[in-house]
Amino acid sequence: MLLVLFFTSCLGSGKTGAQRSIVIEYLNFVIMLLVAVGIGVLAVIVSAILGPKKATRAKLMAYESGNDPEGGGVGTGQRFPVHFYLVAMLFIVFDIETAFFYPLAVAYQKLIPFAFFEALTFVLLLLVGYVYVLKKRVLEWA
Amino acid sequence: MPDWLIPALITLLKAVLVALALLTAFAYMTLVERRLLARMQIRWGPNRVGPMGLLQPLADAIKSIFKEDLQVTMADKLVYTLAPILAIGTALTAFGGIPAGPAGSLFGADPWVYNLDAGLLALLALTSMGVYGIFLGGWASGSKYPMLGALRSSAQMISYELGMGLSVLGTLMLIGSTNFRVIVEWQALQGWTILFQVFAFALFLVSSFAEVNRTPFDLPEAEQEIVAGYLTEYSAIKWALFQMAEYVNMMTASALMATLFFGGYRGPVFLDGLIPGISGWPIIWLVVKIGFFLFLFIWVRATLPRLRYDQLMRFGWKLVLPLALGNTMLVAFHLAFLRPSGLGLWFLGLLSLAALLVLFVMGDRVRSLWSAPAAPKVPAKATRPVGGD
């Protein structure tokens, strides 16, 4: 509903042709998304109707190499290595770097040679952090 | 009748066509993969259901629809169902932005579903949404092996997403646009990007293998190590949806490589000398290039053993990431200083090729980055008697 409102307001009068065509491309994108998700939903529903439903207690147990499951389950607070957390944090930092780099890359040819030193400074600053991470052995999974 | 209705209906038709084509392609891709793997191992692959096994995908699909859809007691009901839908939804949507020909070449309509100015960004965003599908699927199963697989998978995919995003930056600097059509048209004029960016292409190829969880990076579903990873508790069509998402992602990655580095829907121009106009055949060339990369995916699966998890993460963070950044700075340096002084794009191609060769020659030295665990030097204490046990 919100989407419909958004697009009708964007397509309203007083917009130039270029703006309209951009909005229309995003509308096409939403159509594609809806079709793709719709196929997934349809497959799940059809399978739920057609498949047999003879669940037993043993069938519904979680897999644990033939033993009775021990602990487990959603939200029971299983512990896992902190490395995953560190990698996720590093990813956020470097992904922001990538996000900053994209506009620079697209507009680069209009900004040279000044932009080269900008980019170099930025990369060097990040390299300091990267070397620190390496020295702290964050990326060693031993 | 409002004026936007007809274009919207055409888009809807194209979207449905693309989705169905991808699903059919996925089904036959599984068959082709099994046949090819079989041939590479000197055996025959499926050849009983229908002529040459051509009805095998159909049989598999019907079977997976009529299977019982189990859900373990520990599972989170809503997320468990939504995760495969999310995976397939994002995977199918991502393909819609790839242009398959010049404007109006599909019976008067445009041969793409949507054409965003931020096309590459949208595609990268959608492929990384696949991480959510896999992670939520593993988490919601409420079991241990799926949780392990999901954690490993999400860490791996986000790590290599960086390599993927950074290795295309050089190409973007050359072309100056993230719109796929502009990228293809630039290559039609200046030559395929692979000629100038062979180093970036190598990094991108490796990253996309890891991004779509294919051997040698298929740790999330390493059967011999953690059962089937995030797929362990899934059955029937939900399992099939995850498989579909994986194969569709493979096709998208192939199409992306073809579009970014191999001239997209345009064939090599020198072939025009043999048959006039062959380089302009719409769709055919894109399908040929996608087919080539899919073959590469299968070939590598039959050839290389899997990496260990620590090797995988070191490879991504210590090799791919800095090299991708280095490649970006190389292109930036060329554009800023070498090109104005008269050294053209061919010189960048030479530099790139030289970088790749240096990497190959240095292979044995660089290998310590990912294979040997650089353990801190502990003084060896002879606690074990020599020779006895």
Side-chain angles (χ1 to χ4, degrees), chain B residues 210-257:
Chain B
E211 189 71 12
V212 301
N213 299 326
R214 291 292 293 186
T215 11
F217 305 108
D218 61 340
L219 286 147
E221 43 196 288
E223 304 90 357
Q224 300 90 339
E225 295 171 25
I226 46 167
V227 197
Y230 65 98
L231 287 171
T232 306
E233 301 292 359
Y234 277 95
S235 63
I237 199 74
K238 288 177 190 160
W239 177 85
L241 284 181
F242 272 123
Q243 289 290 320
M244 272 181 215
E246 181 185 329
Y247 279 85
V248 171
N249 276 334
M250 242 161 82
M251 285 180 240
T252 313
S254 308
L256 188 58
M257 283 189 272

Side-chain angles (χ1 to χ4, degrees), chain A residues 10-14 19 39 44 57 68 75 77 94 103 108 115 130 140:
Chain A
C10 286
L11 287 174
S13 56
Q19 280 169 324
I39 281 179
V44 169
R57 196 188 143 275
D68 283 335
F94 281 92
Y108 186 72
Y130 180 74
E140 302 296 332

Side-chain angles (χ1 to χ4, degrees), chain A residues 25 28 33 36 39 47 52 54-55 59-60 63-64 70 73-74 91 102 108-109 112 116 130 137 140-141, chain B residues 11 66 68 71-73 93 115 124 139 142 144 158 165 172-174 233 237 314 317-318 332 335 374:
Chain A
E25 291 302 341
N28 293 342
L33 191 64
I39 281 179
S47 167
K54 297 194 207 83
K59 255 193 209 174
L60 293 183
Y63 174 81
E64 200 151 318
E70 194 180 303
V74 172
F91 166 71
Y102 268 92
Y108 186 72
Q109 301 217 19
I112 47 179
F116 175 73
Y130 180 74
R137 306 174 62 78
E140 302 296 332
W141 292 71
Chain B
T11 311
F66 281 94
E68 182 173 4
Q71 184 178 17
V72 297
T73 25
T93 312
N115 172 40
L124 286 177
W139 174 80
K144 280 173 194 160
I158 61 174
L172 291 186
M173 279 183 176
L174 286 177
E233 301 292 359
I237 199 74
R314 271 195 227 110
W317 281 97
K318 288 191 173 177
L335 284 179

Side-chain angles (χ1 to χ4, degrees), chain A residues 8 11 18 20-57 59-65 68-76 78-81 83-110 112-124 126-127 130 133-134 137 139-142, chain B residues 3-4 7-8 11-12 14-16 18-20 22-23 64-76 81 84-85 88-90 92-96 110 112-118 120-122 124 126 139-145 147-148 151-152 155 158-159 161-162 164-166 168-169 172-178 227 232-233 236-238 241 309-310 313-314 317-319 321-322 325 328-329 331-333 335-337 339-340 369 372-376:
Chain A
T8 44
L11 287 174
R20 264 179 82 96
S21 75
I22 289 174
V23 175
I24 284 174
E25 291 302 341
Y26 278 94
L27 191 62
N28 293 342
F29 178 81
V30 172
I31 291 175
M32 181 81 214
L33 191 64
L34 289 182
V35 167
V37 172
I39 281 179
V41 173
L42 196 70
V44 169
I45 290 175
V46 167
S47 167
I49 293 172
L50 291 181
K53 294 168 204 67
K54 297 194 207 83
T56 61
R57 196 188 143 275
K59 255 193 209 174
L60 293 183
M61 277 199 309
Y63 174 81
E64 200 151 318
S65 308
D68 283 335
E70 194 180 303
V74 172
T76 48
Q78 291 177 44
R79 300 169 64 154
F80 53 87
H83 265 111
F84 290 110
Y85 181 68
L86 293 176
V87 167
M89 282 208 305
L90 283 181
F91 166 71
I92 291 175
V93 172
F94 281 92
D95 207 37
I96 290 175
E97 183 206 352
T98 322
F100 279 132
F101 240 120
Y102 268 92
L104 179 64
V106 170
Y108 186 72
Q109 301 217 19
K110 293 171 198 140
I112 47 179
F114 172 65
F116 175 73
F117 297 104
E118 294 268 276
L120 193 64
T121 317
F122 187 50
V123 168
L124 285 181
L126 271 160
L127 273 185
Y130 180 74
V133 165
L134 282 188
R137 306 174 62 78
L139 303 175
E140 302 296 332
W141 292 71
Chain B
D3 59 337
W4 51 265
T11 311
L12 186 66
K14 281 191 291 190
V16 171
V18 164
L20 291 183
L22 280 176
L23 293 188
S64 68
I65 287 178
F66 281 94
K67 283 273 230 179
E68 182 173 4
D69 194 2
L70 284 173
Q71 184 178 17
V72 297
T73 25
M74 297 284 197
D76 185 302
T81 314
I85 298 176
I88 189 70
T90 52
L92 287 178
T93 312
F95 198 88
D110 294 336
W112 55 80
V113 182
Y114 57 88
N115 172 40
L116 305 179
D117 277 343
L120 181 60
L121 289 176
L124 286 177
L126 280 170
W139 174 80
S141 295
S143 176
K144 280 173 194 160
Y145 290 97
M147 188 68 193
L148 276 175
L151 272 174
R152 284 161 59 143
I158 61 174
S159 302
E161 199 189 314
L162 282 179
M164 216 166 161
L166 285 172
V168 297
L169 279 177
L172 291 186
M173 279 183 176
L174 286 177
I175 297 173
S177 173
T178 48
V227 197
T232 306
E233 301 292 359
I237 199 74
K238 288 177 190 160
L241 284 181
Y309 193 70
D310 59 328
M313 295 306 274
R314 271 195 227 110
W317 281 97
K318 288 191 173 177
L319 196 78
L321 179 71
L325 263 183
T328 309
M329 293 318 290
V331 177
F333 183 72
L335 284 179
F337 300 109
R339 201 179 188 189
L369 280 183

Side-chain angles (χ1 to χ4, degrees), chain B residues 14 18 96-106 109-113 265 282-283 286:
Chain B
K14 281 191 291 190
V18 164
I98 305 281
S105 67
L106 186 78
D110 294 336
W112 55 80
V113 182
Y265 52 78
I283 302 188
L286 189 66

